[in-house]
Amino acid sequence: MPNIELLEKSTPVAPIRIAALAGCQDLAKEVDHYLVKFRKEMVGRKNLNSVPQGYSEDSFLVKCECPRFGTGEGKGYIKESIRGVDLFVMVDVTNHSQTYTVCGRENHMSPDNHFQDLKRIISAATGKAHRINVIMPFLYEGRQHRRTKRESLDCAIALKELSNMGVSNIITFDAHDPRVQNSIPLIGFDNFFPTYQFLKALVKEVPDLKIDNDHLMIISPDEGAMSRAVYFSNILGVNMGMFYKRRDYSTIVNGKNPIVAHEFLGDSVEGKDVIVIDDMISSGESMLDVAKQLKERNAKRVFVCTTYGLFTDGLSKFDEYYERGWLDRLITTNLNYRIPQLLDKPYYIEANMSKYLASIMDIINHDISVEKVRSTNEKIINLVQQVNSTR
């Protein structure tokens, strides 16, 4: 585990507890498992006769819920004492599988509903917990991060609300534009990336993958993903290319200007494996078009890596592209809700983030630097050397 020496020398700011909202409980249980394991190993390593209160437990999960009235109104309810604890509230705003009843009719939870429940639990904990931290892997309204016309600034407003409610730290992953943190300059905002977990999962599932300039190339599907692709290509020591979107700005479809075409900039991909990296798949239209174009340019295999797989239009198109050979593997993390059908697809690979998230929480609880856990450069370089020496 990173920062192990610093952890051994430091003391937690308060006993750690995890409050997982509905829709995020499976991920929280995995994180809790690793956190319990870390703490028990630390106690054994330091050979402590007396353990600080609340440091090593069989579980750090706190029972909480947000029940609803018949009108759809709700309330936050924490079922056990959290006085004096370092509370981490986990929420997945994308989990549409959760439902509630309004006047006898079933409604699916929207991101707005999840965010409101998050505020309810924070409200229930305010004045009692020593510190409140929010784990929000998919940043609520993160795509509405800037104003171009007479538009609302939803993400900035949401972050300001959390700040005003007394939240000390916000932890997110692969924010669409992390500069939105400028709206809350006085509280902690940590943005982590799953680059190492992507590569680790891909290496495990694709045994003949070669990581060098002659066999691999990194592709950015649009200009917004350039920074991710540049970092990935630099640390792997391979070339990169990018697509840019030509849009029809005269019309609006589903709230956005439709894409007319994807244009490619970069070296030839002929005969090479390509990794297309981005923060999310929404409908998947543009990502699938990029995969198809890469195959038409004679790429050997196309691996798509995205932090969040939302699949708002279902999986039928992905099935079709896989059957036609335009898509070889699709990797997403387990940081957000994934539709059950996805998990059984032959092309799907999961990048499990539970252990990484547990280590982040442990380090923040000890109030020490997160830079070593944020920067996975050394781990990536070691993995690349190991792969190239055995293949």
Side-chain angles (χ1 to χ4, degrees), residues 40 48 51 73 85 90 93 107 153 168 171 209 239-240 247 249 287 300 305 328 337 342 356 362 366 369 376 381:
K40 290 188 182 298
L48 296 175
V51 181
E73 298 167 287
V85 307
M90 296 181 63
V93 299
N107 278 13
L153 286 171
S168 299
I171 297 96
L209 181 70
N239 289 335
M240 69 155 287
R247 294 182 180 272
Y249 288 98
M287 188 65 79
K300 182 182 177 184
C305 296
D328 292 274
Y337 172 73
L342 175 68
Y356 187 33
D362 197 16
H366 281 78
S369 172
T376 53
I381 291 169

Side-chain angles (χ1 to χ4, degrees), residues 309-321:
L310 305 180
F311 304 104
T312 55
D313 288 348
L315 296 170
S316 57
K317 272 282 187 183
F318 288 86
D319 295 341
E320 177 190 342
Y321 274 54

Side-chain angles (χ1 to χ4, degrees), residues 114-163:
H114 284 293
F115 185 70
Q116 197 66 28
D117 280 354
L118 169 65
K119 291 192 292 181
R120 289 180 174 119
I121 293 299
I122 292 171
S123 175
T126 302
K128 303 168 184 66
H130 174 77
R131 185 172 67 175
I132 298 175
N133 314 274
V134 170
I135 308 282
M136 189 188 296
F138 186 94
L139 190 62
Y140 173 72
E141 291 288 3
R143 285 181 284 182
Q144 185 53 25
H145 59 281
R146 63 183 178 184
R147 177 182 286 154
T148 55
K149 299 177 183 177
R150 290 180 293 276
E151 298 176 332
S152 58
L153 286 171
D154 297 70
C155 190
I157 291 172
L159 293 177
K160 286 288 286 182
E161 281 189 270
L162 296 181
S163 175

Side-chain angles (χ1 to χ4, degrees), residues 174-178 193 195 218 220 222-234 240 277:
D174 207 349
H176 193 68
D177 189 339
F193 294 92
T195 314
I218 307 300
S220 171
D222 55 37
E223 56 274 25
M226 273 291 290
S227 59
R228 299 176 186 87
V230 168
Y231 168 73
F232 209 5
S233 63
N234 282 341
M240 69 155 287
I277 189 163

Side-chain angles (χ1 to χ4, degrees), residues 64-345:
C64 64
E65 65 176 354
C66 292
R68 302 250 172 189
F69 301 103
T71 58
E73 298 167 287
K75 65 178 179 180
Y77 177 32
I78 300 176
K79 299 182 177 180
E80 55 192 273
S81 174
I82 45 94
R83 188 172 296 279
V85 307
D86 193 15
L87 185 65
F88 287 80
V89 186
M90 296 181 63
V91 60
D92 176 12
V93 299
T94 70
N95 193 331
H96 57 85
S97 71
Q98 300 296 307
T99 60
Y100 64 98
T101 302
V102 180
C103 298
R105 296 184 179 181
E106 185 179 68
N107 278 13
H108 286 264
M109 294 276 284
S110 72
D112 292 343
N113 297 136
H114 284 293
F115 185 70
Q116 197 66 28
D117 280 354
L118 169 65
K119 291 192 292 181
R120 289 180 174 119
I121 293 299
I122 292 171
S123 175
T126 302
K128 303 168 184 66
H130 174 77
R131 185 172 67 175
I132 298 175
N133 314 274
V134 170
I135 308 282
M136 189 188 296
F138 186 94
L139 190 62
Y140 173 72
E141 291 288 3
R143 285 181 284 182
Q144 185 53 25
H145 59 281
R146 63 183 178 184
R147 177 182 286 154
T148 55
K149 299 177 183 177
R150 290 180 293 276
E151 298 176 332
S152 58
L153 286 171
D154 297 70
C155 190
I157 291 172
L159 293 177
K160 286 288 286 182
E161 281 189 270
L162 296 181
S163 175
N164 292 338
M165 293 184 76
V167 172
S168 299
N169 296 298
I170 296 173
I171 297 96
T172 190
F173 286 81
D174 207 349
H176 193 68
D177 189 339
R179 289 176 296 182
V180 74
Q181 68 184 286
N182 293 337
S183 63
I184 47 167
L186 299 182
I187 75 169
F189 184 97
D190 288 298
N191 182 42
F192 297 93
F193 294 92
T195 314
Y196 172 70
Q197 285 76 14
F198 280 155
L199 188 61
K200 185 178 178 181
L202 192 58
V203 164
K204 181 181 178 181
E205 295 294 329
V206 185
D208 60 341
L209 181 70
K210 295 182 179 179
I211 307 175
D212 59 49
N213 210 26
D214 295 326
H215 298 92
L216 185 66
M217 194 166 172
I218 307 300
I219 302 295
S220 171
D222 55 37
E223 56 274 25
M226 273 291 290
S227 59
R228 299 176 186 87
V230 168
Y231 168 73
F232 209 5
S233 63
N234 282 341
I235 200 165
L236 296 183
V238 300
N239 289 335
M240 69 155 287
M242 71 161 287
F243 285 85
Y244 68 92
K245 299 172 182 175
R246 282 201 293 115
R247 294 182 180 272
D248 179 5
Y249 288 98
S250 64
T251 59
I252 296 178
V253 178
N254 293 329
K256 57 187 178 182
N257 303 110
I259 298 167
V260 176
H262 286 93
E263 305 291 349
F264 182 68
L265 299 173
D267 295 334
S268 171
V269 298
E270 186 172 355
K272 294 183 179 181
D273 290 331
V274 293
I275 297 176
V276 186
I277 189 163
D278 206 355
D279 61 335
M280 73 179 76
I281 289 175
S282 184
S283 66
E285 246 179 63
S286 58
M287 188 65 79
L288 289 172
D289 188 48
V290 165
K292 180 182 176 183
Q293 288 204 40
L294 288 168
K295 281 288 188 172
E296 289 173 348
R297 286 175 166 82
N298 298 318
K300 182 182 177 184
R301 290 177 295 190
V302 176
F303 306 121
V304 172
C305 296
T306 64
T307 307
Y308 306 105
L310 305 180
F311 304 104
T312 55
D313 288 348
L315 296 170
S316 57
K317 272 282 187 183
F318 288 86
D319 295 341
E320 177 190 342
Y321 274 54
Y322 175 70
E323 289 165 4
R324 293 192 176 197
W326 294 335
L327 173 70
D328 292 274
R329 291 289 187 274
L330 170 65
I331 304 176
T332 74
T333 70
N334 64 330
L335 289 170
N336 72 307
Y337 172 73
R338 294 150 298 154
I339 53 179
Q341 306 94 294
L342 175 68
L343 306 181
D344 297 325
K345 297 297 181 183

